Structures are given as structure tokens and as C-alpha cells.
Amino acid sequence: MRAWIATLLLAGVGIGVAAAAAPHVISVVEPAASKFEFSLQTRWGQTLLGKFPDGEGDVTQLPDGKRQVHLKLSTNTLEIVDHARYTRFARGPRFFDAQRFPEVTFLSDPYPLGLLQTGGELHGRLRIHGIERRERFVLAPAACSNPGRECAIVAQGAVRRSDYDLDGWSMAMRDEVRFSLHVRLRDTEAQ
């Protein structure tokens, strides 16, 4: 999900806002310092926490000075925490179908740099299970002066499984999937 939910959006306070001649990547996601999580709730009230341990992405600065984030999350390595059986099912053909659809991606709409400081809505295109839809994530206000580097960029959002044909577990699981992203960035040298 070179583009995923991410969300994350995010890129770069502390980098000059002067527009460049062409779009260029200014930051990349630091996978080891970032968290890409989701939660599902059973019809009996149990919450299952899932993780995408292999997430990557980048932030591009556009000619007008706005930013755009592109995230990619691997479904081949996703896991349901403390539930090996649920992990196998989540990767399997009746849910994420990791063999046919090995990644979830998110490509944000262009956003102003100030969004990372103030927080607010980040819209974009989310692709899950081969289906692409417009979705919205909400960024929390920054907890530091240089979000993504000094502190994580935090984004949350919810989607409906039925919108993406993730119909496995429909009798046992509620339709909503909630995402929680904590993204850390590393600036590229080509700024």
C-alpha cells in the first residue's frame, strides 16, 4: 500500500514550503517506528486487534507546496494479535485474500502542510480487496513542533467491510473496521 491509510499522512513540518518544479518524495515512512493497526468487533462485544507489521509509504511535495501521502500495507503478514487461527482466516480467501490482493493502499488528496499541526480530515482513495473507494481519516493535532519526526502523526478512520466485499465472518463480526495509524517519517536526501 504504497499509498495507504494511512494515512499518513504526512509529511513534513520543518521542510520549506517553497514549491518545487516537479513533485518529489520528501519523506518515507519509518516502518519500525510506525504502527498500522485495525480493530474488528464481534457480535458478542469482543474486540479483535489486528496489525499490519509490514507497512511502507512516502510523502510527496507537489508543485503548489501541498503534500500527498501514499501508503502500502501488506496483507500477507497482517496478524490478529494473540489469535493464530483468526490470523489465518483474515489472510485467507474469505477475508483479505492475501494471495490475490497482497496489499491495502491509500493515496491521499493533496493537503496543506498545516494540517499536520492542526489536525483535521484527510481524504483520499483507499484500495482493499481490489476495490477502491473514497474514504476519510482524521488526523489528531500534532503533539510536537515537527510531526512525523519528533512525534508520530496519528490518524484514525473507519470503513465498512461490506464496501470492500470482505464478507467472511459476517455472522460473527460487525461491519465496521476501525484503523489507527501512528506514523513516523524519515526525510529523504533529495529535498
Side-chain angles (χ1 to χ4, degrees), residues 1-101:
M1 170 166 181
R2 194 154 145 111
W4 177 216
I5 273 76
T7 263
L8 307 171
L9 312 132
L10 331 93
V13 174
I15 297 173
V17 293
H24 64 283
V25 173
I26 58 171
S27 303
V28 294
V29 171
E30 283 282 9
S34 299
K35 291 192 307 187
F36 303 100
E37 299 177 334
F38 64 96
S39 62
L40 303 160
Q41 195 158 49
T42 68
R43 302 241 182 236
W44 306 278
Q46 177 188 17
T47 299
L48 298 176
L49 176 64
K51 297 192 302 188
F52 290 97
D54 294 323
E56 60 184 61
D58 57 54
V59 179
T60 300
Q61 181 167 315
L62 304 175
D64 64 0
K66 289 186 177 180
R67 308 290 167 87
Q68 190 170 34
V69 65
H70 186 225
L71 297 174
K72 180 170 66 172
L73 306 176
S74 171
T75 60
N76 287 306
T77 57
L78 77 81
E79 54 189 71
I80 304 296
V81 177
D82 297 328
H83 292 284
R85 191 173 115 241
Y86 290 157
T87 295
R88 284 190 303 277
F89 189 82
R91 292 178 189 171
R94 295 198 53 227
F95 210 72
F96 279 104
D97 197 357
Q99 239 180 359
R100 288 182 51 213
F101 306 105

Side-chain angles (χ1 to χ4, degrees), residues 11-15 117 142-153 184 187:
V13 174
I15 297 173
Q117 285 294 329
C144 64
S145 63
N146 195 1
R149 291 137 192 97
E150 295 172 2
C151 60
I153 298 163
R184 299 297 293 255
D187 295 332

Side-chain angles (χ1 to χ4, degrees), residues 23-24 39 51 107-108 121 130 148-149 155 171 178:
H24 64 283
S39 62
K51 297 192 302 188
L107 179 63
S108 77
E121 295 184 357
R149 291 137 192 97
M171 297 299 286
R178 299 187 73 59

